[in-house]
């Protein structure tokens, strides 16, 4: 973390040497986030559920269905006369994946987890969202295309996502109207190294931004207590946002 912020500081100092070509923008974006890989799932169930309470947990909350996400930050970039771009983005993100819920295993019916010797599951419908709070740093090298008064910036790079916290929020309802919820702290994830490609279409001081980010860090080792496995769990984000250039 310290090395990352030292890199950011050095970048800002160096760009001041060519301040006339430095652009500073405020960013805001929304997006769709999910996990990919063979450890993820589209449907799961709640273990240890109790009707009309927040007991239990989602058996596998790492959903491969998209959840609504959002974030904001600051972008500083140097644009050379040839059109080449050297830039850095930093910001805060809320990333949410989704998994559908089909059943609950109720401890108030003397079930123990998913003990097959006990009563069967109670059918229910709902969703679980796995929400991560991240500080994201994105260095990139790109190129600017000019089309009359419009500018198109193409910005391939990589992201470093430093996780602050990950939390599970689940809710399912059975045919009798009973509600089952989960509210569980999943702890702090390892830093996520991600490949990214972003683009910005600018007119005057305003820009429309879009991006695709694919995580390369395999979270399965962390999720399964660092044991060697053949499982893979990676992050994936599609974003759309606005930027306003303040300099």
């Amino acid at each position: 973390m310290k090395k990352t912020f030292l890199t950011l500081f050095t970048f800002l100092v160096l760009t001041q040497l060519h301040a006339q070509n430095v652009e500073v923008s405020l960013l805001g974006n929304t997006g769709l986030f999910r996990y990919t890989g063979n450890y993820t799932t589209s449907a799961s169930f709640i273990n240890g559920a109790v009707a009309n309470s927040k007991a239990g947990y989602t058996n596998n909350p790492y959903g491969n269905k998209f959840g609504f996400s959002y974030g904001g930050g600051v972008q500083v970039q140097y644009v050379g006369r040839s059109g080449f771009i050297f830039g850095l983005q930093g910001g805060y993100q809320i990333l949410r994946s989704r998994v559908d819920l089909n059943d609950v295993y109720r401890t108030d019916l003397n079930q123990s987890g998913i003990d097959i010797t006990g009563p069967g599951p109670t059918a229910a419908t709902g969703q679980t969202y796995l929400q991560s709070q991240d500080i994201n740093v994105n260095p990139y090298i790109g190129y600017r295309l000019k089309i009359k008064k419009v500018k198109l910036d193409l910005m391939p790079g990589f992201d470093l996502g430093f996780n602050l916290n990950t939390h599970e929020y689940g809710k399912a309802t059975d045919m009798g109207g009973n509600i089952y919820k989960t509210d569980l702290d999943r702890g702090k994830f390892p830093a996520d190294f991600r490949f990214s490609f972003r683009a910005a279409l600018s007119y005057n001081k305003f820009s429309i931004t879009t991006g695709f980010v694919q995580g390369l860090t395999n979270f399965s080792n962390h999720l399964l207590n660092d044991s060697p496995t053949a499982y893979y769990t990676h992050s994936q984000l599609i974003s759309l946002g606005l930027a306003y250039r303040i300099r």
Side-chain angles (χ1 to χ4, degrees):
M1 178 72 79
K2 291 182 179 179
K3 291 182 179 180
T4 300
F5 286 106
L6 179 60
T7 301
L8 174 60
F9 176 77
T10 303
F11 175 82
L12 293 175
V13 171
L14 291 176
T15 54
Q16 292 308 304
L17 299 176
H18 302 278
Q20 69 275 16
N21 295 324
V22 173
E23 297 177 353
V24 181
S25 301
L26 301 179
L27 309 173
N29 61 76
T30 61
L32 298 174
F33 177 83
R34 67 174 180 173
Y35 291 99
T36 64
N38 60 5
Y39 189 69
T40 67
T41 184
S42 60
S44 190
F45 51 87
I46 297 178
N47 285 325
V50 176
N52 304 308
S53 80
K54 295 181 179 180
Y57 62 95
T58 304
N59 187 64
N60 185 351
Y62 305 98
N64 55 29
K65 291 194 170 184
F66 285 111
F68 176 76
S69 303
Y70 56 92
V74 177
Q75 172 182 281
V76 180
Q77 65 180 18
Y78 170 79
V79 183
R81 292 181 180 179
S82 63
F84 280 99
I85 301 170
F86 302 89
L88 187 66
Q89 292 184 5
Y92 175 76
Q93 296 177 319
I94 297 290
L95 304 174
R96 303 169 77 230
S97 65
R98 178 170 64 91
V99 60
D100 290 338
L101 297 172
N102 295 333
D103 302 295
V104 295
Y105 284 81
R106 297 177 57 175
T107 56
D108 53 346
L109 293 181
N110 296 320
Q111 294 178 346
S112 176
I114 54 173
D115 183 0
I116 61 174
T117 64
T122 299
T125 57
Q127 296 85 35
T128 287
Y129 293 91
L130 192 62
Q131 176 175 295
S132 295
Q133 302 179 60
D134 286 7
I135 298 296
N136 190 67
V137 179
N138 165 228
Y140 59 89
I141 297 176
Y143 189 77
R144 170 168 290 177
L145 300 173
K146 294 183 179 180
I147 310 171
K148 295 183 179 180
K149 295 183 179 181
V150 176
K151 302 171 185 176
L152 175 62
D153 293 348
L154 305 176
M155 301 171 289
F158 64 89
D159 287 21
L160 288 172
F162 299 97
N163 183 241
L164 302 177
N165 178 261
T166 301
H167 204 93
E168 169 193 327
Y169 300 95
K171 180 180 179 181
T173 306
D174 66 17
M175 295 183 63
N178 296 307
I179 298 175
Y180 309 86
K181 294 183 179 181
T182 68
D183 188 345
L184 183 66
D185 186 0
R186 289 282 180 169
K188 189 175 180 180
F189 278 25
D192 192 7
F193 182 78
R194 310 160 179 159
F195 167 78
S196 66
F197 182 84
R198 293 181 172 88
L201 188 65
S202 305
Y203 180 78
N204 291 333
K205 291 188 175 184
F206 290 92
S207 301
I208 298 174
T209 65
T210 186
F212 175 80
V213 181
Q214 177 63 55
L216 303 178
T217 299
N218 183 10
F219 288 115
S220 292
N221 292 335
H222 169 72
L223 305 177
L224 300 175
N225 299 319
D226 296 317
S227 60
T229 71
Y231 294 107
Y232 301 94
T233 304
H234 302 285
S235 62
Q236 187 178 90
L237 174 68
I238 300 171
S239 66
L240 180 67
L242 294 173
Y244 177 73
R245 181 166 55 84
I246 59 177
R247 177 177 176 177

